Amino acid sequence: LAKTTQPISMDSYEGQEVNITCSHNNIATNDYITWYQQFPSQGPRFIIQGYKTKVTNEVASLFIPADRKSSTLSLPRVSLSDTAVYYCLVGAPMNRDDKIIFGKGTRLHILP
Amino acid sequence: GAGVSQSPRYKVAKRGQDVALRCDPISGHVSLFWYQQALGQGPEFLTYFQNEAQLDKSGLPSDRFFAERPEGSVSTLKIQRTQQEDSAVYLCASSDGTVNEKLFFGSGTQLSVL
């Protein structure tokens, strides 16, 4: 089971681009990389998922290098409402021996 | 409903009481997960259902914890003889079980055991 490592916390300012990097050195061939966002008193919310190269949606971009041993979640022009905990998950969703495991996440604090 | 619904939103129990937490997943979602989240920590996996079958219950912390999903839709997490260490937020998530599986979470039930 691939383990992930991400910074415990990060601070940034409104309007800045924020990049959160996640290390997953033991990622397996069938594993996808998924990021979730969690606000206080709410369950986690899916942000983005990728397998390789770059994925972009209306919320964020996900950059995955060729070796797939890390990934970077990029949030463009953050606002105060982006203050949340961000979780990086690695796993093969259809492999039921592979639990969907959340780590401690990265607490992102956006300052005015 | 449009999303995953959990009830009650808050539950206070005296130590030793039994509690039952309910999860209504998104209609048609075959996969259902329960997680436990302590304050300041990430969600910890408890158990997983595919339809009515409980395929993984390795995360349940003790035999006081029991989950069921008898008709493959609504699920109940039951905790018997609650202890203070059971105080946490219990999150339910569902997914459609496809390859690019995305979990949809409810807002959780905050359990406080006094």
Side-chain angles (χ1 to χ4, degrees):
Chain A
L1 183 63
K3 181 180 176 180
T4 61
T5 303
Q6 43 181 135
I8 294 174
S9 65
M10 295 179 64
D11 289 341
S12 188
Y13 291 92
E14 280 192 293
Q16 299 292 308
E17 178 184 81
V18 171
N19 296 310
I20 306 174
T21 297
C22 178
S23 298
H24 27 80
N25 292 319
N26 297 325
I27 190 168
T29 302
N30 295 332
D31 285 346
Y32 282 77
I33 300 157
T34 311
W35 286 80
Y36 286 84
Q37 173 192 57
Q38 186 176 26
F39 298 113
S41 301
Q42 294 185 26
R45 181 177 73 106
F46 172 90
I47 301 176
I48 197 166
Q49 184 182 72
Y51 183 78
K52 62 180 180 180
T53 63
K54 177 183 175 182
V55 179
T56 297
N57 62 22
E58 64 279 4
V59 176
S61 293
L62 179 60
F63 298 92
I64 306 169
D67 66 6
R68 304 202 325 125
K69 293 184 182 300
S70 67
S71 59
T72 299
L73 175 72
S74 181
L75 304 173
R77 297 180 299 282
V78 293
S79 64
L80 295 176
S81 62
D82 292 315
T83 294
V85 180
Y86 293 81
Y87 297 96
C88 166
L89 283 70
V90 171
M94 293 304 290
N95 179 4
R96 280 291 148 243
D97 291 331
D98 201 14
K99 301 177 187 55
I100 301 178
I101 302 293
F102 287 76
K104 295 186 186 304
T106 297
R107 294 185 175 277
L108 176 64
H109 187 203
I110 305 302
L111 303 166
Chain B
V4 177
S5 178
Q6 292 188 246
S7 60
R9 187 73 177 87
Y10 301 94
K11 177 68 178 177
V12 178
K14 292 183 179 179
R15 192 171 59 177
Q17 281 186 330
D18 297 348
V19 298
L21 313 180
R22 177 187 170 105
C23 173
D24 282 85
I26 293 173
S27 178
H29 277 191
V30 299
S31 300
L32 186 145
F33 303 80
W34 283 98
Y35 286 83
Q36 180 191 60
Q37 186 170 27
L39 190 63
Q41 303 296 314
E44 296 277 349
F45 172 85
L46 293 178
T47 187
Y48 158 70
F49 290 85
Q50 185 170 9
N51 296 307
E52 68 279 5
Q54 189 174 19
L55 299 186
D56 189 339
K57 55 182 180 179
S58 62
L60 296 176
S62 76
D63 58 8
R64 296 186 295 104
F65 287 70
F66 172 76
E68 61 183 4
R69 195 187 184 196
E71 298 179 359
S73 178
V74 172
S75 177
T76 303
L77 176 67
K78 297 179 180 178
I79 309 173
Q80 296 177 325
R81 304 181 303 282
T82 53
Q83 304 294 314
Q84 284 188 320
E85 61 262 28
D86 300 334
S87 295
V89 175
Y90 291 85
L91 294 164
C92 174
S94 70
S95 77
D96 61 8
T98 58
V99 173
N100 297 330
E101 189 163 41
K102 304 174 188 178
L103 297 185
F104 294 84
F105 280 85
S107 295
T109 293
Q110 184 170 331
L111 174 64
S112 299
V113 181
L114 306 179

